[in-house]
């Protein structure tokens, strides 16, 4: 549900942009004004993300997610009641703060409760929830667009946009209530010296309630040793992120989240209507809806196989494939497109068109579908998974909040800039995003280390091994060896003066 709020955010404008109700009521038709409205939510999310770690470290990851849901609900109410651009922007900023908190803390919570064998799969559910949120919101907007005879009716009721924005309240309410029924993060509990609670949560998560289960005891022992090490050699303040051994990881995850935006995906999400208009597509909303379905469907293979094929290959192949697809779209529009003759008022938001050339239009649509499918399988889930798993517990929330803030900062910048780019540089915009994908490929090759199959407490070994990123790391996990030693009676684990042994 937390990821769903992010998805609702991304798709909150795409379906209403082509309706007369929206354009006439708010007097918007592309350009800077629309960029400011769209970017307001991302701007609020940037603020929410930066504040999320303070809430999560002080009050728990669980409580932070609940607070995010309440803030989102308040923002949705303001958006639904908007009587002008001012209140709409304010509502989007407030809702964005909630989405920002949730987008940073949901993957942290998931990573801290998931077994290492399926951690990538569990955290990837964040991206799946995002895609479902995008799809559901889009189809709500698509259905609402037919109110009063359809989106081209100049007297269309404002219900065409108020209904989709109002429905956003319900998933947030469900999230706030549902979080009462899930446990606190065991690693957060350990960080608060609530060890008895921590081991009981570990037992419920990984040992069917049996505290003496070898896997539970091994997990507990690893967390205890990692906490002791962190307290001896570091601190949990933001300044810890500037230490040499952590700064490189912070920069890496900030860049990964930056590339996840600059790859061009959110252009497809926020402004797919503009892209389809430029391609000469007539049934805009229906054609675009297929893209959202693909985004959901192709995220499923990533969830199933990310812990098999790994993080690094996903990022490398994804960046390369998206670059090629963007260059194909740019070439098709450059060769077969013409400047907008401005004979149709509904096309004023774009400056370059494919006119009466169905084969080229279909090719551009196909490339957009392939692009979204590629992102869904690769960068979509992997960017969230990687950032949430490579930091120590004491600074994980802070580090992830910074990397997610990078996501939202670039999200905001693109939301604001893309309408102008469609008007000013048209097809050349795709070349710019293709170059960004090339830069992402180079950085991933040089700096991203494989983390599949490793526990959160083993990331120090992964990143401090001294091996180049492209050489990989040793297979196997220290946790598995420790679990065997406990099961065989070679290792005993104590908690608060009480010794626990495998039964």
């Amino acid at each position: 549900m937390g990821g769903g709020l992010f998805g609702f955010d991304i798709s909150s404008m795409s379906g209403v942009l082509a309706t007369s109700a929206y354009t006439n009521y708010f007097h918007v038709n592309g350009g800077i004004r629309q960029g400011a409205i769209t970017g307001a939510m991302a701007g609020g999310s940037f603020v929410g993300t930066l504040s999320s770690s303070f809430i999560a470290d002080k009050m728990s990851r669980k409580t932070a997610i609940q607070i995010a849901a309440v803030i989102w609900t308040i923002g949705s109410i303001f958006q639904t009641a908007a009587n002008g651009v001012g209140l709409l922007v304010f509502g989007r900023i407030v809702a964005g703060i909630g989405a920002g908190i949730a987008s940073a803390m949901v993957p942290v919570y998931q990573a801290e409760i998931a077994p290492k064998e399926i951690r990538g799969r569990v955290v990837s559910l964040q991206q799946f929830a995002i895609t479902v949120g995008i799809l559901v919101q889009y189809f709500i907007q698509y259905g609402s667009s037919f109110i009063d005879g359809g989106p081209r009716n100049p007297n269309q009721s404002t219900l065409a946009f108020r209904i989709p924005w109002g429905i956003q309240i319900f998933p947030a309410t469900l999230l706030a209530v549902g979080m009462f029924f899930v446990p606190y993060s065991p690693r957060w509990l350990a960080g608060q010296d609530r060890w008895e609670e921590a081991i009981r949560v570990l037992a419920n998560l990984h040992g069917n309630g049996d505290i003496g289960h070898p896997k539970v005891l091994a997990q507990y022992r690893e967390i205890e040793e990692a906490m002791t090490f962190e307290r001896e050699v570091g601190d949990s303040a933001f300044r810890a992120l500037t230490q040499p051994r952590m700064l490189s990881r912070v920069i890496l995850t900030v860049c990964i989240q930056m590339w996840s935006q600059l790859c061009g995906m959110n252009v497809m999400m926020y402004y797919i209507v503009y892209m389809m208009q430029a391609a000469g597509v007539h049934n805009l909303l229906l054609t675009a809806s297929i893209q959202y379905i693909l985004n959901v469907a192709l995220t499923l293979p990533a969830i199933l196989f990310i812990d098999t094929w790994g993080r690094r290959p996903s990022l490398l192949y994804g960046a390369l494939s998206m670059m090629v697809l963007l260059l194909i779209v740019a070439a098709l529009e450059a060769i077969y497109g013409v400047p907008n003759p401005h004979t149709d008022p509904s096309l004023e938001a774009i400056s370059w068109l494919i006119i009466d050339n169905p084969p080229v239009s279909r090719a551009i649509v196909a490339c957009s579908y392939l692009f979204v499918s590629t992102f869904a399988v690769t960068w979509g889930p992997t960017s969230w998974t990687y950032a949430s798993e490579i930091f120590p517990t004491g600074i994980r929330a802070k580090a992830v909040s910074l990397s997610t803030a990078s996501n939202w900062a670039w999200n905001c910048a693109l939301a604001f800039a893309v309408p102008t780019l469609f008007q000013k540089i048209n097809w050349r915009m795709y070349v710019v995003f293709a170059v960004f994908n090339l830069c992402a490929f180079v950085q991933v090759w040089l700096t991203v280390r494989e983390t599949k199959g490793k526990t959160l407490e083993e990331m120090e070994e992964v990143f401090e091994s001294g091996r180049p990123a492209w050489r990989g790391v040793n297979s196997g996990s220290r946790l598995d060896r420790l679990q065997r030693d406990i099961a065989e009676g070679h290792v005993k684990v104590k908690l608060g003066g009480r010794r626990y042994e495998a039964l």
Side-chain angles (χ1 to χ4, degrees):
M1 281 297 174
L5 300 187
F6 193 167
F8 269 73
D9 169 4
I10 291 174
S11 189
S12 61
M13 298 302 303
S14 55
V16 302
L17 289 176
T19 64
S20 297
Y22 174 80
T23 55
N24 293 339
Y25 190 82
F26 294 107
H27 307 292
V28 174
N29 195 3
I32 294 176
R33 190 180 179 91
Q34 179 57 53
I37 294 172
T38 306
M41 186 170 284
S45 298
F46 176 77
V47 174
T49 297
L50 290 178
S51 66
S52 63
S53 64
F54 298 101
I55 304 171
D57 286 339
K58 182 77 173 177
M59 304 175 68
S60 82
R61 284 65 162 131
K62 172 180 170 176
T63 303
I65 295 169
Q66 290 178 304
I67 291 173
V70 172
I71 295 174
W72 172 274
T73 298
I74 295 170
S76 297
I77 292 172
F78 281 121
Q79 290 177 77
T80 306
N83 59 358
V85 171
L87 188 57
L88 174 59
V89 169
F90 177 75
R92 288 180 63 78
I93 291 174
V94 173
I97 293 172
I101 296 172
S103 65
M105 289 306 107
V106 167
V108 169
Y109 178 78
Q110 291 171 314
E112 291 185 348
I113 67 172
K116 66 179 177 58
E117 295 85 0
I118 60 168
R119 185 178 60 246
R121 198 175 303 169
V122 171
V123 180
S124 293
L125 290 173
Q126 159 90 342
Q127 178 63 20
F128 181 69
I130 291 172
T131 63
V132 171
I134 292 171
L135 179 67
V136 170
Q137 173 66 297
Y138 184 83
F139 273 114
I140 291 171
Q141 293 178 13
Y142 178 68
S144 299
S145 71
F146 291 101
I147 290 175
D148 288 338
R152 290 185 175 273
N153 177 9
N155 298 313
Q156 187 180 36
S157 168
T158 60
L159 290 174
F161 59 81
R162 296 192 194 278
I163 288 176
W165 295 343
I167 288 176
Q168 296 179 132
I169 295 170
F170 295 103
T173 303
L174 185 60
L175 175 63
V177 174
M179 288 302 294
F180 283 111
F181 301 96
V182 300
Y184 288 100
S185 160
R187 289 172 171 85
W188 179 80
L189 289 170
Q192 306 299 308
D193 288 324
R194 293 162 61 175
W195 291 100
E196 288 280 358
E197 294 175 71
I199 197 170
R200 294 193 183 282
V201 171
L202 286 172
N204 290 331
L205 290 173
H206 307 300
N208 294 320
D210 178 13
I211 292 178
H213 193 286
K215 187 171 185 178
V216 173
L217 295 177
Q219 286 258 35
Y220 171 80
R221 175 75 172 266
E222 278 229 317
I223 293 171
E224 184 182 43
E225 290 178 350
M227 288 289 182
T228 300
F229 176 77
E230 288 176 34
R231 288 169 177 172
E232 288 177 352
V233 304
D235 60 48
S236 59
F238 266 105
R239 62 178 175 271
L241 301 179
T242 63
Q243 296 174 359
R245 69 188 185 94
M246 287 301 150
L247 183 59
S248 60
R249 290 187 230 180
V250 172
I251 293 173
L252 175 58
T253 55
V254 164
C255 288
I256 286 175
Q257 291 286 15
M258 175 185 73
W259 297 131
S260 75
Q261 294 297 311
L262 293 181
C263 71
M265 178 60 173
N266 274 1
V267 175
M268 304 289 185
M269 294 295 105
Y270 281 131
Y271 298 114
I272 183 61
V273 168
Y274 291 168
M275 182 180 180
M276 294 301 179
Q277 284 178 330
V281 175
H282 299 293
N283 196 339
L284 298 175
L285 295 179
L286 182 60
T287 304
S289 69
I290 298 173
Q291 179 167 282
Y292 292 104
I293 294 172
L294 289 172
N295 194 24
V296 173
L298 271 297
T299 301
L300 291 173
I303 293 174
L304 295 174
F305 299 112
I306 187 172
D307 289 306
T308 301
W309 61 46
R311 286 56 158 159
R312 181 178 165 87
S314 295
L315 296 176
L316 287 171
Y317 296 140
L320 195 61
S321 300
M322 289 188 290
M323 178 188 72
V324 172
L325 290 166
L326 287 168
L327 290 176
I328 293 173
V329 171
L332 289 171
E333 292 207 1
I335 295 171
Y336 297 102
V338 296
N340 187 351
H342 299 288
T343 56
D344 185 346
S346 68
L347 300 178
E348 289 302 307
I350 54 179
S351 62
W352 196 263
L353 295 172
I354 303 294
I355 299 177
D356 296 328
N357 197 330
V360 173
S361 296
R362 286 194 291 270
I364 292 174
V365 171
C367 284
S368 75
Y369 290 166
L370 289 171
F371 181 96
V372 169
S373 299
T374 301
F375 180 89
V377 174
T378 58
W379 276 78
T382 307
S383 60
W384 292 107
T385 300
Y386 201 78
S388 67
E389 66 186 3
I390 67 172
F391 295 101
T393 299
I395 60 171
R396 183 173 297 119
K398 296 178 177 64
V400 174
S401 73
L402 286 180
S403 65
T404 309
S406 169
N407 182 298
W408 284 112
W410 289 102
N411 187 312
C412 179
L414 290 174
F416 186 81
V418 166
T420 302
L421 294 178
F422 267 113
Q423 292 179 335
K424 300 297 183 182
I425 65 173
N426 40 72
W427 62 266
R428 298 171 186 84
M429 178 183 68
Y430 300 110
V431 178
V432 173
F433 286 113
V435 172
F436 287 147
N437 277 287
L438 177 61
C439 294
F441 177 88
V442 172
Q443 185 184 21
V444 170
W445 176 264
L446 294 175
T447 62
V448 169
R449 299 172 184 274
E450 187 54 68
T451 59
K452 71 172 182 178
K454 300 293 184 180
T455 66
L456 298 181
E457 287 69 37
E458 290 179 283
M459 293 303 161
E460 287 300 306
E461 296 177 12
V462 172
F463 281 86
E464 303 302 324
S465 66
R467 296 162 63 97
W470 58 88
R471 290 283 301 277
V473 295
N474 296 325
S475 60
S477 170
R478 186 179 64 211
L479 179 68
D480 296 331
R481 296 189 295 271
L482 179 58
Q483 183 178 336
R484 285 195 300 269
D485 289 341
I486 292 173
E488 294 169 1
H490 302 311
V491 175
K492 307 293 188 277
V493 180
K494 289 184 178 181
L495 173 62
R498 181 180 175 185
R499 175 173 291 182
Y500 287 89
E501 301 183 22
L503 300 177

